[in-house]
mmCIF file of all heavy atoms in Angstrom:
data_model
loop_
_atom_site.group_PDB
_atom_site.id
_atom_site.type_symbol
_atom_site.label_atom_id
_atom_site.label_comp_id
_atom_site.label_asym_id
_atom_site.label_seq_id
_atom_site.Cartn_x
_atom_site.Cartn_y
_atom_site.Cartn_z
ATOM 1 N N VAL A 22 -6.080 -15.390 -13.083
ATOM 2 C CA VAL A 22 -5.209 -16.026 -11.983
ATOM 3 C C VAL A 22 -3.749 -16.108 -12.478
ATOM 4 O O VAL A 22 -2.916 -15.840 -11.709
ATOM 5 C CB VAL A 22 -5.815 -17.269 -11.469
ATOM 6 C CG1 VAL A 22 -4.915 -17.811 -10.372
ATOM 7 C CG2 VAL A 22 -7.270 -17.057 -10.922
ATOM 8 N N LEU A 23 -3.620 -16.588 -13.685
ATOM 9 C CA LEU A 23 -2.210 -16.771 -14.201
ATOM 10 C C LEU A 23 -1.450 -15.412 -14.213
ATOM 11 O O LEU A 23 -0.355 -15.275 -13.660
ATOM 12 C CB LEU A 23 -2.282 -17.316 -15.612
ATOM 13 C CG LEU A 23 -0.926 -17.768 -16.254
ATOM 14 C CD1 LEU A 23 -0.579 -19.138 -15.770
ATOM 15 C CD2 LEU A 23 -0.925 -17.672 -17.724
ATOM 16 N N ALA A 24 -2.179 -14.421 -14.831
ATOM 17 C CA ALA A 24 -1.477 -13.086 -14.843
ATOM 18 C C ALA A 24 -1.301 -12.517 -13.443
ATOM 19 O O ALA A 24 -0.259 -11.927 -13.086
ATOM 20 C CB ALA A 24 -2.361 -12.059 -15.655
ATOM 21 N N GLY A 25 -2.202 -12.784 -12.547
ATOM 22 C CA GLY A 25 -2.210 -12.345 -11.146
ATOM 23 C C GLY A 25 -1.007 -12.956 -10.419
ATOM 24 O O GLY A 25 -0.205 -12.350 -9.638
ATOM 25 N N ILE A 26 -0.775 -14.275 -10.661
ATOM 26 C CA ILE A 26 0.376 -14.993 -10.162
ATOM 27 C C ILE A 26 1.703 -14.341 -10.608
ATOM 28 O O ILE A 26 2.568 -14.052 -9.794
ATOM 29 C CB ILE A 26 0.384 -16.468 -10.537
ATOM 30 C CG1 ILE A 26 -0.781 -17.264 -9.902
ATOM 31 C CG2 ILE A 26 1.705 -17.080 -10.115
ATOM 32 C CD1 ILE A 26 -0.888 -18.653 -10.487
ATOM 33 N N MET A 27 1.734 -14.043 -11.813
ATOM 34 C CA MET A 27 2.940 -13.370 -12.467
ATOM 35 C C MET A 27 3.170 -12.038 -11.754
ATOM 36 O O MET A 27 4.355 -11.633 -11.313
ATOM 37 C CB MET A 27 2.759 -13.225 -13.948
ATOM 38 C CG MET A 27 4.125 -12.950 -14.576
ATOM 39 S SD MET A 27 3.894 -12.790 -16.372
ATOM 40 C CE MET A 27 3.438 -14.406 -16.829
ATOM 41 N N TRP A 28 2.122 -11.249 -11.635
ATOM 42 C CA TRP A 28 2.208 -9.850 -11.062
ATOM 43 C C TRP A 28 2.666 -10.031 -9.554
ATOM 44 O O TRP A 28 3.712 -9.407 -9.236
ATOM 45 C CB TRP A 28 0.898 -9.181 -11.251
ATOM 46 C CG TRP A 28 0.834 -7.834 -10.503
ATOM 47 C CD1 TRP A 28 1.857 -7.043 -9.898
ATOM 48 C CD2 TRP A 28 -0.392 -7.147 -10.203
ATOM 49 N NE1 TRP A 28 1.376 -5.947 -9.310
ATOM 50 C CE2 TRP A 28 0.010 -5.929 -9.550
ATOM 51 C CE3 TRP A 28 -1.716 -7.255 -10.531
ATOM 52 C CZ2 TRP A 28 -0.947 -4.940 -9.180
ATOM 53 C CZ3 TRP A 28 -2.635 -6.316 -10.061
ATOM 54 C CH2 TRP A 28 -2.239 -5.135 -9.445
ATOM 55 N N ILE A 29 1.977 -10.760 -8.834
ATOM 56 C CA ILE A 29 2.213 -10.787 -7.377
ATOM 57 C C ILE A 29 3.492 -11.573 -7.123
ATOM 58 O O ILE A 29 4.254 -11.253 -6.129
ATOM 59 C CB ILE A 29 1.033 -11.221 -6.629
ATOM 60 C CG1 ILE A 29 -0.313 -10.498 -6.935
ATOM 61 C CG2 ILE A 29 1.264 -11.197 -5.123
ATOM 62 C CD1 ILE A 29 -0.197 -8.983 -6.679
ATOM 63 N N GLY A 30 3.748 -12.536 -7.873
ATOM 64 C CA GLY A 30 5.117 -13.261 -7.787
ATOM 65 C C GLY A 30 6.195 -12.399 -7.951
ATOM 66 O O GLY A 30 7.197 -12.422 -7.198
ATOM 67 N N LEU A 31 6.136 -11.489 -8.965
ATOM 68 C CA LEU A 31 7.322 -10.619 -9.209
ATOM 69 C C LEU A 31 7.331 -9.440 -8.082
ATOM 70 O O LEU A 31 8.411 -9.091 -7.678
ATOM 71 C CB LEU A 31 7.070 -9.865 -10.577
ATOM 72 C CG LEU A 31 7.618 -10.810 -11.777
ATOM 73 C CD1 LEU A 31 7.153 -10.254 -13.097
ATOM 74 C CD2 LEU A 31 9.104 -10.938 -11.754
ATOM 75 N N LEU A 32 6.102 -9.098 -7.604
ATOM 76 C CA LEU A 32 6.145 -8.136 -6.393
ATOM 77 C C LEU A 32 6.892 -8.748 -5.293
ATOM 78 O O LEU A 32 7.680 -7.996 -4.606
ATOM 79 C CB LEU A 32 4.613 -7.889 -6.111
ATOM 80 C CG LEU A 32 4.454 -7.083 -4.820
ATOM 81 C CD1 LEU A 32 4.840 -5.596 -5.079
ATOM 82 C CD2 LEU A 32 2.919 -7.136 -4.346
ATOM 83 N N TYR A 33 6.677 -10.073 -4.994
ATOM 84 C CA TYR A 33 7.367 -10.743 -3.893
ATOM 85 C C TYR A 33 8.817 -10.892 -4.231
ATOM 86 O O TYR A 33 9.656 -10.811 -3.292
ATOM 87 C CB TYR A 33 6.655 -12.029 -3.501
ATOM 88 C CG TYR A 33 5.235 -11.842 -2.992
ATOM 89 C CD1 TYR A 33 4.337 -12.964 -2.911
ATOM 90 C CD2 TYR A 33 4.762 -10.646 -2.482
ATOM 91 C CE1 TYR A 33 3.057 -12.887 -2.498
ATOM 92 C CE2 TYR A 33 3.466 -10.585 -2.008
ATOM 93 C CZ TYR A 33 2.662 -11.616 -2.029
ATOM 94 O OH TYR A 33 1.419 -11.529 -1.575
#
Side-chain angles (χ1 to χ4, degrees):
V22 176
L23 189 83
I26 291 171
M27 196 180 291
W28 172 13
I29 305 303
L31 282 165
L32 174 74
Y33 294 162

